[in-house]
Amino acid sequence: MALPMWVKLPKRGRRPQTEKKTPFREEWPMVLENQVSTRRGKTKDVPCLTETLAFITCLKDNNNAQELCKAQSEAVQKCYHNHLAYKKELQKRKKTSTDFIPEISAKDMDPVQLNKFLSNFPHKLKKS
């Protein structure tokens, strides 16, 4: 039984609400804070992983005979000493660097540098 075309049935689909019906409620202040969290900014450093794995594989293949794996052992030691020198250089550079380096964008800064940058532009949070 088909209905004639002049009969309009009510639409059953979900219609979008107007913005007037649902006013915006601000749950959190829409303002940046004066600092960022420094907990997640630190990454674990794994130096010389490939050299160490090559040395362990060599030891496994040669029944823990270190005399046969001297080249890999020296490679691990050399890599580790280079890593220590690099870390010392980074610490020196951090101590002598200024608070804000204009060449670095905010997305490349670590959280400590970003906090120093944000301290140049303080603002009060809006309390509601």
Side-chain angles (χ1 to χ4, degrees):
M1 173 177 193
L3 294 173
M5 291 190 65
W6 53 270
V7 175
K8 291 200 173 200
L9 294 175
K11 294 184 179 179
R12 305 254 188 248
R14 184 177 172 98
R15 293 184 187 143
Q17 289 184 337
T18 62
E19 291 180 8
K20 294 174 187 170
K21 267 188 170 179
T22 56
F24 177 72
R25 257 187 338 187
E26 185 178 341
E27 297 293 329
W28 297 94
M30 296 184 71
V31 178
L32 289 177
E33 292 188 16
N34 289 327
Q35 63 182 359
V36 294
S37 173
T38 57
R39 284 181 278 159
R40 283 183 243 141
K42 296 180 181 176
T43 57
K44 292 189 176 182
D45 195 13
V46 185
C48 309
L49 183 64
T50 55
E51 290 87 354
T52 306
L53 289 176
F55 179 59
I56 291 172
T57 305
C58 180
L59 286 175
K60 180 182 173 190
D61 292 342
N62 295 318
N63 294 328
N64 294 335
Q66 288 189 2
E67 300 82 27
L68 301 174
C69 301
K70 221 167 217 184
Q72 286 85 355
S73 173
E74 290 172 359
V76 169
Q77 299 227 347
K78 181 180 177 184
C79 178
Y80 186 67
H81 288 301
N82 289 343
H83 175 70
L84 288 179
Y86 175 71
K87 289 291 250 187
K88 283 184 183 178
E89 180 66 30
L90 277 181
Q91 286 179 350
K92 283 182 186 177
R93 202 179 304 159
K94 247 186 187 176
K95 287 180 183 176
T96 60
S97 68
T98 60
D99 291 348
F100 174 63
I101 304 169
E103 299 94 35
I104 299 176
S105 67
K107 67 177 184 177
D108 296 329
M109 290 183 187
D110 63 337
V112 175
Q113 287 175 327
L114 199 55
N115 282 337
K116 286 181 183 177
F117 176 68
L118 287 174
S119 68
N120 294 331
F121 310 101
H123 59 275
K124 293 182 179 179
L125 288 176
K126 184 171 69 173
K127 302 281 181 174
S128 51

